[in-house]
Amino acid sequence: MKPDIIRIAQATFTVSSLEASKEFYVDLLGMNLLHEENDALYLRGVEDREWTLKLEKCGDGEVPRVRHLGYRVRCGECLESLVELAEKQGLPYRWEEELDRPKMLRLQDPFGIPVAFYHEVKTYPWLLQEYHQHRGPGLQRVDHCNVRVPDVKATLDWYGQELGFRLSEYTVDEAGDYWAAWIQRRGGVHDFALTNGAGPCLHHWAYWMPDAMSIIKTCDILAGARQPERIERGPGRHGVSNAFFLYIRDPDGHRIELYTSDYVTVDPDFEPIKWLRDDPRRQTLWGAKTPRSWFEEASPMEAFDGGIQPAQEGKLTGIPVHVI
Ligand SMILES: [Fe+2]
């Protein structure tokens, strides 16, 4: 049986200061603080019924990193089939217990990405219509992750064949090799995006926003707080996914995307959309150039036995188009 993965559902980052992270994520972005214990903050958007981002204090001298990316699966048997897959392919795995998630399977995929899977979770009433409790620009729900990987095609093939991910959009270079891919389980454009480059590293973690104005309001809030340097790219309109977007950097440099207005991909005859790497409309329909930091910087990922997963160079080379 193939594991039935529902969607990307949570991530755990380590951070150097819980105080600075709380100011950024709770005071400025208005995320709901569901728990504050175990030297960690457990955050969610107003539509999330469980925590979707855990920020854990990292050890002294440790580099802030991504501990894992988490997916919710349909059933307990799905976890067993993931164990079978890990054993068959020799992937390291272990069971972990997490706050509100009593049984979580953590494994390392063949590309070194730390992933966690769970079925059981304690949920909480959502805040979607508790408008009087909304704070900041109104982050709504977890949307997707974007990981930089050395071999996009191999990663895409494994997630498709073994975990049943479906392709919604992809970019090829001049030679026809896969430069980037957007894959999904949930029926949106993506739960998981793959981009060519040194990795594995987390490029960004994204929240869905109710509308474009809430994204613009984020810029106003960060400017009002005298922290415009947190705004890295956008707001703008992506060609890929059609999303209205903004990229911001947290106090440790973890990149968060605020994202809205993509489309559904559930029809059985949906044809994946192909882009050429040198098409400037791919990155932004409006033609705005992308800062170099957006291509060059990303969060390291934790190795299975601790420490940082060593990054390998991207298989494809080339200068990204439209860089300022
Ligand atoms: Fe994204």
Side-chain angles (χ1 to χ4, degrees):
M1 156 191 171
K2 199 167 265 190
D4 187 351
I5 291 163
I6 298 172
R7 62 183 173 90
I8 186 79
Q10 59 97 202
T12 297
F13 299 168
T14 65
V15 296
S16 53
S17 161
L18 289 177
E19 201 177 45
S21 295
K22 196 171 171 182
E23 192 221 350
F24 180 74
Y25 286 97
V26 179
D27 299 347
L28 298 178
L29 296 189
M31 290 192 79
N32 181 244
L33 180 60
L34 204 45
H35 311 290
E36 184 173 9
E37 55 187 273
N38 309 325
D39 256 348
L41 310 172
Y42 301 80
L43 305 166
R44 64 169 174 167
V46 293
E47 187 186 335
D48 292 328
R49 295 184 307 122
E50 58 190 275
W51 58 262
T52 49
L53 179 62
K54 177 181 177 183
L55 303 172
E56 200 178 297
K57 173 87 174 76
C58 60
D60 289 340
E62 277 184 9
V63 178
R65 67 194 65 171
V66 175
R67 295 210 59 214
H68 65 249
L69 302 170
Y71 294 91
R72 189 162 189 206
V73 299
R74 182 82 50 195
C75 55
E77 295 76 45
C78 297
L79 296 175
E80 297 306 328
S81 61
L82 284 159
V83 168
E84 278 173 31
L85 174 67
E87 288 192 341
K88 194 173 93 186
Q89 299 194 352
L91 307 175
Y93 72 91
R94 64 174 171 258
W95 294 101
E96 290 184 352
E97 196 177 331
E98 174 57 279
L99 184 60
D100 293 341
R101 292 177 186 130
K103 193 177 178 190
M104 206 168 70
L105 177 68
R106 181 196 168 106
L107 61 80
Q108 193 177 38
D109 78 10
F111 316 97
I113 303 171
V115 277
F117 300 91
Y118 67 95
H119 169 58
E120 261 183 87
V121 61
K122 181 175 178 188
T123 59
Y124 297 82
W126 71 8
L127 302 174
L128 188 60
Q129 292 173 328
E130 304 302 322
Y131 286 104
H132 61 300
Q133 294 186 43
H134 292 199
R135 299 287 180 269
L139 275 67
Q140 188 160 322
R141 62 172 182 264
V142 60
D143 192 84
H144 65 265
C145 61
N146 182 310
V147 179
R148 213 170 60 188
V149 293
D151 190 337
V152 169
K153 185 64 167 64
T155 313
L156 168 67
D157 287 347
W158 189 84
Y159 274 82
Q161 285 158 18
E162 305 298 347
L163 302 186
F165 277 75
R166 297 172 286 263
L167 183 65
S168 54
E169 302 200 23
Y170 62 106
T171 300
V172 293
D173 66 10
E174 302 71 19
D177 290 321
Y178 277 69
W179 180 263
W182 288 261
I183 61 179
Q184 59 85 17
R185 286 292 304 165
R186 193 186 50 213
V189 173
H190 59 317
D191 292 272
F192 181 22
L194 310 165
T195 311
N196 173 71
C201 293
L202 181 73
H203 188 271
H204 61 263
W205 178 250
Y207 278 90
W208 172 267
M209 300 294 282
D211 52 35
M213 273 314 295
S214 59
I215 290 179
I216 291 167
K217 189 176 173 187
T218 310
C219 299
D220 281 338
I221 288 171
L222 291 171
R226 307 298 189 270
Q227 297 183 32
E229 68 281 3
R230 301 256 176 256
I231 302 169
E232 183 185 36
R233 179 185 173 197
R237 171 82 64 188
H238 282 310
V240 171
S241 80
N242 188 52
F244 191 90
F245 69 87
L246 175 71
Y247 295 93
I248 53 180
R249 306 292 292 271
D250 85 357
D252 290 291
H254 297 307
R255 184 181 289 107
I256 301 292
E257 181 182 16
L258 303 179
Y259 175 102
T260 194
S261 91
D262 59 353
Y263 58 90
V264 297
T265 55
V266 291
D267 289 329
D269 55 357
F270 176 82
E271 287 287 335
I273 296 168
K274 174 181 172 179
W275 294 86
L276 301 177
R277 196 186 64 152
D278 61 1
D279 181 349
R281 285 168 59 84
R282 177 176 75 91
Q283 292 173 354
T284 161
L285 282 180
W286 301 347
K289 292 180 179 177
T290 304
R292 188 164 283 280
S293 63
W294 193 88
F295 292 100
E296 294 179 345
E297 297 171 12
S299 299
M301 289 182 149
E302 188 167 272
F304 188 74
D305 294 319
I308 298 287
Q309 180 69 23
Q312 293 178 354
E313 281 306 310
K315 194 175 156 199
L316 309 176
T317 54
I319 299 166
V321 291
H322 260 232
V323 176
I324 52 174

